[in-house]
Amino acid sequence: MPLKTEYKLPQGHELRIEVKEDKELLVTAKQGQAEVFGTELSLGEQLTLRGQKLAVFTWHGVVLELTADAECLEDVTDVVYEADETPMVEYLNASNVVEQRRRAAREAGGQGPRTIVVGPTDVGKSSLCKLLLNYAVRYGFAPTAVDLDIGQGGIAAPGSIAATPVEAPVDVEEGLPVEVPLVYFYSHVSPADNPELYKFLVERLAALLDRRAEANAEVRAAGMVINTMGWVDGLGYELLLHSIAALRADVVLVVGQDRLYSQLSSELRARKDVSLVRLPKSGGVVMRPPPLRKLARAARVKEYFYGAHGELSPHSRTLGFSELRVYRVGGGPRAPTSALPIGAEPVADPLRVAPVTSPGELLHSLLAVSHAPAPEFLLSVNVAGFIYVSDVDVTRNTVTFLSPSPGPLPGKFLLAGSVKLFME
Ligand code: ATP
């Protein structure tokens, strides 16, 4: 490790670090206090960053040591710089308001805050969610993290919406906990592909989370932190309103867009039970153009199978296509023409579940393994995990796939969609 360099940050400053995709940088807090999106760094603990972009912030001042197996920092990072202008005070204030509601809910045995973070792409929504979750954990709560952003898959694989309890600080290297997530597979990466299905699944997830909250006073009081997708115009805006209503969000944090804030304030004016707060975007948030998002998606799927540091070893298996029972949602006719009024065109039923009949279309697909006991429950039951179709032999009618663990799949039925990617 020939490179070693130190940064002394005064209080309220942050060090913004963008590690190059395939490079590694080690960060250690030597003295003082530092955190990454609300996760405290223990003094002396070495944080390994691989391709990550983040900020190490300090409320009280910190000495950071950066080490790398490189000649100079530029070999492993795109940029490292100190910033004194951050929105952390505003974020902390928002977190404190939410915290008071949590405590009041705990006292009264009532429902704690359901905070939804909204805003266009690349404004730091996911990072703010992590911060809110971490601060809640510091105060002794275990809030539920909900991820409605199907494009990236913050909790489960891309193409899904998911929720998970957060009982410990979010691991800077690994991300949100994935041990017991509640996952629904929407099976596409854009909500525009099947908005009816997106709404249906958000409602299913909301109903299940309601039941969990009803059954457990601590879960209820801790509330939720809901991350959303960055599509905030037209249909995207409509879906956002639907999510706010379905999950009964009562704190809406709008990051980085005045227009969305003003639209939502007129929309929610009559709702005295909903607090709408405008928050600034951090200057450090890194923009990700569509090709980079695609790469990030593939990386996320790879991480699902191989682990953040390659510590998992997935299993490759080959089965006859007839042994796999794969279904797809949407696309079928809503009603037979004979049942429609004269002249009316049959439209596709967005919630129709139909079997996939040819294996060829599954190549490089991510498939969800459903907990459903029968195909008619595929829509309403959550998924156990995912497999990745790495090869299809159409002459032998076989499918080769990667599964996180050996042995039989945890469910009989599989869900396919349009999530395709290349993993070498
Ligand atoms: P999307 O719309 O794609 O979901 P988003 O609004 O959720 O994006 P984030 O994912 O929070 O935005 O941030 C985008 C990237 O910028 C992430 O890699 C994140 O770690 C990084 N980032 C966020 N805040 C900072 C900061 N202050 N300094 C450096 N990097 C940051």
Side-chain angles (χ1 to χ4, degrees), residues 14 53 55 121-127 149 282 284 286 288 293:
E14 68 183 21
K53 286 115 186 58
T121 46
D122 299 325
V123 290
K125 296 183 297 301
S126 317
S127 310
D149 185 6
S282 163
V286 182
R288 285 170 299 180
R293 281 172 187 275

Side-chain angles (χ1 to χ4, degrees), residues 14-18 37 52-55 81 119-128 130 149 152 227-230 282-288 293:
E14 68 183 21
L15 190 67
R16 296 174 179 162
I17 305 171
E18 298 183 25
F37 306 137
Q52 271 165 288
K53 286 115 186 58
L54 49 74
Y81 67 102
T121 46
D122 299 325
V123 290
K125 296 183 297 301
S126 317
S127 310
L128 175 58
K130 281 185 202 160
D149 185 6
Q152 298 301 315
N227 191 17
T228 58
M229 56 182 172
S282 163
V285 180
V286 182
M287 302 280 286
R288 285 170 299 180
R293 281 172 187 275

Side-chain angles (χ1 to χ4, degrees), residues 367-405:
L367 308 183
V369 184
S370 177
H371 278 305
E376 57 271 32
F377 297 107
L378 273 170
L379 268 190
S380 47
V381 174
N382 53 314
V383 304
F386 298 88
I387 61 170
Y388 171 72
V389 178
S390 54
D391 197 17
V392 172
D393 186 332
V394 276
T395 46
R396 291 171 54 223
N397 221 26
T398 57
V399 175
T400 302
F401 61 88
L402 216 55
S403 153
S405 49

